[in-house]
Amino acid sequence: QVQLVESGGGLVQPGGSLRLSCAASGSMSGLYDTGWYRQAPGKQRELVASITNSGRSNYADSVKGRFAISRDGAMNTVYLQMNGLNHEDTAVYYCNLKRTWPSIIDYWGQGTQVTVSS
């Protein structure tokens, strides 16, 4: 079993920055991709950024050039650096760990609130 704990959310003014962290613990045998998702009130959860086991990253169009996903070498901690935040970025952000081999298993964190407001 894998546990994910997110941190780093909070209240920030428009144009500001935050860095989210997702610490994984537990048995992590296999290959994993990691992603950050977000869910705003009344909206579906959406992918913000992801990084594969091989290090390939992918971003939603709405955050390209502003957000950056990274991880430590062992993938025990994944980060989301968020710059140039605006009101549309307000949401609960969830860390996702997807084991892709030898079988597919999804793990989710509890979520961390990001509020962009003046």
PDB file of all heavy atoms in Angstrom, residues 12-16 38 62 66-67 83-91 93 114-117:
ATOM      1  N   VAL A  12      -2.915  32.798  -1.823  1.00  0.00           N
ATOM      2  CA  VAL A  12      -1.896  33.592  -2.494  1.00  0.00           C
ATOM      3  C   VAL A  12      -2.573  34.655  -3.348  1.00  0.00           C
ATOM      4  O   VAL A  12      -3.680  34.436  -3.844  1.00  0.00           O
ATOM      5  CB  VAL A  12      -0.976  32.677  -3.349  1.00  0.00           C
ATOM      6  CG1 VAL A  12      -1.747  32.002  -4.455  1.00  0.00           C
ATOM      7  CG2 VAL A  12       0.216  33.443  -3.879  1.00  0.00           C
ATOM      8  N   GLN A  13      -1.912  35.774  -3.514  1.00  0.00           N
ATOM      9  CA  GLN A  13      -2.457  36.835  -4.339  1.00  0.00           C
ATOM     10  C   GLN A  13      -2.230  36.536  -5.819  1.00  0.00           C
ATOM     11  O   GLN A  13      -1.296  35.808  -6.175  1.00  0.00           O
ATOM     12  CB  GLN A  13      -1.803  38.165  -3.976  1.00  0.00           C
ATOM     13  CG  GLN A  13      -2.182  38.669  -2.603  1.00  0.00           C
ATOM     14  CD  GLN A  13      -1.624  40.061  -2.341  1.00  0.00           C
ATOM     15  OE1 GLN A  13      -0.701  40.525  -3.010  1.00  0.00           O
ATOM     16  NE2 GLN A  13      -2.199  40.742  -1.353  1.00  0.00           N
ATOM     17  N   PRO A  14      -3.066  37.098  -6.673  1.00  0.00           N
ATOM     18  CA  PRO A  14      -2.841  36.915  -8.124  1.00  0.00           C
ATOM     19  C   PRO A  14      -1.432  37.329  -8.514  1.00  0.00           C
ATOM     20  O   PRO A  14      -0.914  38.351  -8.049  1.00  0.00           O
ATOM     21  CB  PRO A  14      -3.890  37.837  -8.746  1.00  0.00           C
ATOM     22  CG  PRO A  14      -4.982  37.895  -7.736  1.00  0.00           C
ATOM     23  CD  PRO A  14      -4.294  37.867  -6.402  1.00  0.00           C
ATOM     24  N   GLY A  15      -0.825  36.508  -9.353  1.00  0.00           N
ATOM     25  CA  GLY A  15       0.558  36.746  -9.749  1.00  0.00           C
ATOM     26  C   GLY A  15       1.570  36.086  -8.858  1.00  0.00           C
ATOM     27  O   GLY A  15       2.764  36.052  -9.190  1.00  0.00           O
ATOM     28  N   GLY A  16       1.126  35.549  -7.746  1.00  0.00           N
ATOM     29  CA  GLY A  16       2.036  34.936  -6.794  1.00  0.00           C
ATOM     30  C   GLY A  16       2.407  33.507  -7.162  1.00  0.00           C
ATOM     31  O   GLY A  16       2.002  32.986  -8.207  1.00  0.00           O
ATOM     32  N   ARG A  38      -6.513  18.820 -10.311  1.00  0.00           N
ATOM     33  CA  ARG A  38      -7.206  19.823  -9.505  1.00  0.00           C
ATOM     34  C   ARG A  38      -8.696  19.763  -9.782  1.00  0.00           C
ATOM     35  O   ARG A  38      -9.120  19.348 -10.859  1.00  0.00           O
ATOM     36  CB  ARG A  38      -6.671  21.224  -9.764  1.00  0.00           C
ATOM     37  CG  ARG A  38      -6.951  21.773 -11.160  1.00  0.00           C
ATOM     38  CD  ARG A  38      -6.247  23.105 -11.335  1.00  0.00           C
ATOM     39  NE  ARG A  38      -6.494  23.681 -12.652  1.00  0.00           N
ATOM     40  CZ  ARG A  38      -5.896  24.768 -13.111  1.00  0.00           C
ATOM     41  NH1 ARG A  38      -4.992  25.413 -12.348  1.00  0.00           N
ATOM     42  NH2 ARG A  38      -6.178  25.235 -14.313  1.00  0.00           N
ATOM     43  N   SER A  62      -3.687  25.282 -19.996  1.00  0.00           N
ATOM     44  CA  SER A  62      -3.948  26.442 -19.153  1.00  0.00           C
ATOM     45  C   SER A  62      -2.798  26.768 -18.200  1.00  0.00           C
ATOM     46  O   SER A  62      -2.746  27.862 -17.646  1.00  0.00           O
ATOM     47  CB  SER A  62      -5.226  26.221 -18.336  1.00  0.00           C
ATOM     48  OG  SER A  62      -5.098  25.065 -17.521  1.00  0.00           O
ATOM     49  N   ARG A  66       3.714  28.299 -16.876  1.00  0.00           N
ATOM     50  CA  ARG A  66       3.563  28.851 -15.523  1.00  0.00           C
ATOM     51  C   ARG A  66       3.870  27.814 -14.446  1.00  0.00           C
ATOM     52  O   ARG A  66       4.381  28.148 -13.379  1.00  0.00           O
ATOM     53  CB  ARG A  66       2.143  29.374 -15.318  1.00  0.00           C
ATOM     54  CG  ARG A  66       1.734  30.477 -16.261  1.00  0.00           C
ATOM     55  CD  ARG A  66       0.386  31.082 -15.865  1.00  0.00           C
ATOM     56  NE  ARG A  66      -0.705  30.121 -15.935  1.00  0.00           N
ATOM     57  CZ  ARG A  66      -1.497  29.810 -14.900  1.00  0.00           C
ATOM     58  NH1 ARG A  66      -1.313  30.381 -13.723  1.00  0.00           N
ATOM     59  NH2 ARG A  66      -2.478  28.928 -15.050  1.00  0.00           N
ATOM     60  N   PHE A  67       3.511  26.569 -14.700  1.00  0.00           N
ATOM     61  CA  PHE A  67       3.687  25.495 -13.721  1.00  0.00           C
ATOM     62  C   PHE A  67       4.814  24.570 -14.181  1.00  0.00           C
ATOM     63  O   PHE A  67       5.054  24.396 -15.381  1.00  0.00           O
ATOM     64  CB  PHE A  67       2.419  24.665 -13.580  1.00  0.00           C
ATOM     65  CG  PHE A  67       1.274  25.370 -12.925  1.00  0.00           C
ATOM     66  CD1 PHE A  67       1.276  26.730 -12.683  1.00  0.00           C
ATOM     67  CD2 PHE A  67       0.147  24.640 -12.525  1.00  0.00           C
ATOM     68  CE1 PHE A  67       0.205  27.367 -12.076  1.00  0.00           C
ATOM     69  CE2 PHE A  67      -0.934  25.253 -11.917  1.00  0.00           C
ATOM     70  CZ  PHE A  67      -0.904  26.620 -11.707  1.00  0.00           C
ATOM     71  N   ASN A  83       3.676  29.290 -10.705  1.00  0.00           N
ATOM     72  CA  ASN A  83       3.991  30.704 -10.807  1.00  0.00           C
ATOM     73  C   ASN A  83       2.883  31.419 -11.574  1.00  0.00           C
ATOM     74  O   ASN A  83       2.117  30.797 -12.310  1.00  0.00           O
ATOM     75  CB  ASN A  83       5.322  30.913 -11.520  1.00  0.00           C
ATOM     76  CG  ASN A  83       6.482  30.239 -10.809  1.00  0.00           C
ATOM     77  OD1 ASN A  83       6.545  30.201  -9.576  1.00  0.00           O
ATOM     78  ND2 ASN A  83       7.412  29.703 -11.565  1.00  0.00           N
ATOM     79  N   GLY A  84       2.823  32.714 -11.424  1.00  0.00           N
ATOM     80  CA  GLY A  84       1.831  33.492 -12.145  1.00  0.00           C
ATOM     81  C   GLY A  84       0.414  33.031 -11.885  1.00  0.00           C
ATOM     82  O   GLY A  84      -0.408  32.975 -12.796  1.00  0.00           O
ATOM     83  N   LEU A  85       0.098  32.738 -10.644  1.00  0.00           N
ATOM     84  CA  LEU A  85      -1.221  32.200 -10.306  1.00  0.00           C
ATOM     85  C   LEU A  85      -2.306  33.234 -10.558  1.00  0.00           C
ATOM     86  O   LEU A  85      -2.114  34.443 -10.361  1.00  0.00           O
ATOM     87  CB  LEU A  85      -1.242  31.748  -8.854  1.00  0.00           C
ATOM     88  CG  LEU A  85      -0.461  30.445  -8.586  1.00  0.00           C
ATOM     89  CD1 LEU A  85      -0.122  30.312  -7.108  1.00  0.00           C
ATOM     90  CD2 LEU A  85      -1.265  29.256  -9.062  1.00  0.00           C
ATOM     91  N   ASN A  86      -3.447  32.737 -10.999  1.00  0.00           N
ATOM     92  CA  ASN A  86      -4.614  33.595 -11.210  1.00  0.00           C
ATOM     93  C   ASN A  86      -5.838  32.946 -10.589  1.00  0.00           C
ATOM     94  O   ASN A  86      -5.785  31.809 -10.096  1.00  0.00           O
ATOM     95  CB  ASN A  86      -4.805  33.873 -12.706  1.00  0.00           C
ATOM     96  CG  ASN A  86      -4.957  32.606 -13.522  1.00  0.00           C
ATOM     97  OD1 ASN A  86      -5.831  31.784 -13.246  1.00  0.00           O
ATOM     98  ND2 ASN A  86      -4.110  32.431 -14.533  1.00  0.00           N
ATOM     99  N   HIS A  87      -6.947  33.672 -10.613  1.00  0.00           N
ATOM    100  CA  HIS A  87      -8.155  33.204  -9.936  1.00  0.00           C
ATOM    101  C   HIS A  87      -8.609  31.839 -10.456  1.00  0.00           C
ATOM    102  O   HIS A  87      -9.158  31.029  -9.696  1.00  0.00           O
ATOM    103  CB  HIS A  87      -9.274  34.222 -10.102  1.00  0.00           C
ATOM    104  CG  HIS A  87      -8.997  35.541  -9.470  1.00  0.00           C
ATOM    105  ND1 HIS A  87      -8.952  35.715  -8.096  1.00  0.00           N
ATOM    106  CD2 HIS A  87      -8.750  36.755 -10.000  1.00  0.00           C
ATOM    107  CE1 HIS A  87      -8.693  36.969  -7.826  1.00  0.00           C
ATOM    108  NE2 HIS A  87      -8.560  37.644  -8.960  1.00  0.00           N
ATOM    109  N   GLU A  88      -8.387  31.578 -11.741  1.00  0.00           N
ATOM    110  CA  GLU A  88      -8.825  30.310 -12.325  1.00  0.00           C
ATOM    111  C   GLU A  88      -8.025  29.116 -11.807  1.00  0.00           C
ATOM    112  O   GLU A  88      -8.403  27.964 -12.048  1.00  0.00           O
ATOM    113  CB  GLU A  88      -8.717  30.371 -13.851  1.00  0.00           C
ATOM    114  CG  GLU A  88      -9.763  31.249 -14.541  1.00  0.00           C
ATOM    115  CD  GLU A  88      -9.552  32.730 -14.258  1.00  0.00           C
ATOM    116  OE1 GLU A  88      -8.367  33.162 -14.206  1.00  0.00           O
ATOM    117  OE2 GLU A  88     -10.556  33.462 -14.097  1.00  0.00           O
ATOM    118  N   ASP A  89      -6.941  29.370 -11.121  1.00  0.00           N
ATOM    119  CA  ASP A  89      -6.153  28.283 -10.548  1.00  0.00           C
ATOM    120  C   ASP A  89      -6.665  27.847  -9.178  1.00  0.00           C
ATOM    121  O   ASP A  89      -6.164  26.868  -8.606  1.00  0.00           O
ATOM    122  CB  ASP A  89      -4.688  28.700 -10.427  1.00  0.00           C
ATOM    123  CG  ASP A  89      -4.039  28.981 -11.764  1.00  0.00           C
ATOM    124  OD1 ASP A  89      -4.257  28.196 -12.709  1.00  0.00           O
ATOM    125  OD2 ASP A  89      -3.324  29.998 -11.873  1.00  0.00           O
ATOM    126  N   THR A  90      -7.637  28.562  -8.653  1.00  0.00           N
ATOM    127  CA  THR A  90      -8.195  28.201  -7.360  1.00  0.00           C
ATOM    128  C   THR A  90      -8.887  26.844  -7.442  1.00  0.00           C
ATOM    129  O   THR A  90      -9.769  26.635  -8.279  1.00  0.00           O
ATOM    130  CB  THR A  90      -9.208  29.265  -6.891  1.00  0.00           C
ATOM    131  OG1 THR A  90      -8.516  30.490  -6.667  1.00  0.00           O
ATOM    132  CG2 THR A  90      -9.902  28.822  -5.613  1.00  0.00           C
ATOM    133  N   ALA A  91      -8.478  25.918  -6.598  1.00  0.00           N
ATOM    134  CA  ALA A  91      -9.008  24.558  -6.630  1.00  0.00           C
ATOM    135  C   ALA A  91      -8.367  23.742  -5.513  1.00  0.00           C
ATOM    136  O   ALA A  91      -7.422  24.205  -4.864  1.00  0.00           O
ATOM    137  CB  ALA A  91      -8.718  23.885  -7.971  1.00  0.00           C
ATOM    138  N   TYR A  93      -6.041  20.706  -5.068  1.00  0.00           N
ATOM    139  CA  TYR A  93      -5.043  20.014  -5.876  1.00  0.00           C
ATOM    140  C   TYR A  93      -4.755  18.644  -5.270  1.00  0.00           C
ATOM    141  O   TYR A  93      -4.484  18.531  -4.066  1.00  0.00           O
ATOM    142  CB  TYR A  93      -3.765  20.849  -5.955  1.00  0.00           C
ATOM    143  CG  TYR A  93      -3.901  22.014  -6.894  1.00  0.00           C
ATOM    144  CD1 TYR A  93      -4.710  23.098  -6.571  1.00  0.00           C
ATOM    145  CD2 TYR A  93      -3.243  22.046  -8.119  1.00  0.00           C
ATOM    146  CE1 TYR A  93      -4.865  24.164  -7.436  1.00  0.00           C
ATOM    147  CE2 TYR A  93      -3.380  23.111  -8.990  1.00  0.00           C
ATOM    148  CZ  TYR A  93      -4.199  24.163  -8.641  1.00  0.00           C
ATOM    149  OH  TYR A  93      -4.348  25.225  -9.500  1.00  0.00           O
ATOM    150  N   VAL A 114      -5.737  25.338  -2.816  1.00  0.00           N
ATOM    151  CA  VAL A 114      -5.031  26.508  -3.327  1.00  0.00           C
ATOM    152  C   VAL A 114      -6.076  27.569  -3.647  1.00  0.00           C
ATOM    153  O   VAL A 114      -7.007  27.322  -4.422  1.00  0.00           O
ATOM    154  CB  VAL A 114      -4.217  26.170  -4.589  1.00  0.00           C
ATOM    155  CG1 VAL A 114      -3.652  27.435  -5.219  1.00  0.00           C
ATOM    156  CG2 VAL A 114      -3.085  25.207  -4.240  1.00  0.00           C
ATOM    157  N   THR A 115      -5.942  28.727  -3.019  1.00  0.00           N
ATOM    158  CA  THR A 115      -6.876  29.825  -3.237  1.00  0.00           C
ATOM    159  C   THR A 115      -6.099  31.043  -3.708  1.00  0.00           C
ATOM    160  O   THR A 115      -5.166  31.486  -3.030  1.00  0.00           O
ATOM    161  CB  THR A 115      -7.642  30.163  -1.961  1.00  0.00           C
ATOM    162  OG1 THR A 115      -8.345  29.001  -1.506  1.00  0.00           O
ATOM    163  CG2 THR A 115      -8.649  31.280  -2.207  1.00  0.00           C
ATOM    164  N   VAL A 116      -6.490  31.546  -4.858  1.00  0.00           N
ATOM    165  CA  VAL A 116      -5.852  32.744  -5.410  1.00  0.00           C
ATOM    166  C   VAL A 116      -6.856  33.889  -5.285  1.00  0.00           C
ATOM    167  O   VAL A 116      -7.918  33.880  -5.906  1.00  0.00           O
ATOM    168  CB  VAL A 116      -5.454  32.542  -6.878  1.00  0.00           C
ATOM    169  CG1 VAL A 116      -4.714  33.774  -7.392  1.00  0.00           C
ATOM    170  CG2 VAL A 116      -4.590  31.299  -7.022  1.00  0.00           C
ATOM    171  N   SER A 117      -6.500  34.844  -4.457  1.00  0.00           N
ATOM    172  CA  SER A 117      -7.429  35.927  -4.179  1.00  0.00           C
ATOM    173  C   SER A 117      -6.660  37.145  -3.681  1.00  0.00           C
ATOM    174  O   SER A 117      -5.647  37.012  -2.986  1.00  0.00           O
ATOM    175  CB  SER A 117      -8.461  35.500  -3.127  1.00  0.00           C
ATOM    176  OG  SER A 117      -9.300  36.578  -2.783  1.00  0.00           O
TER     177      SER A 117
END
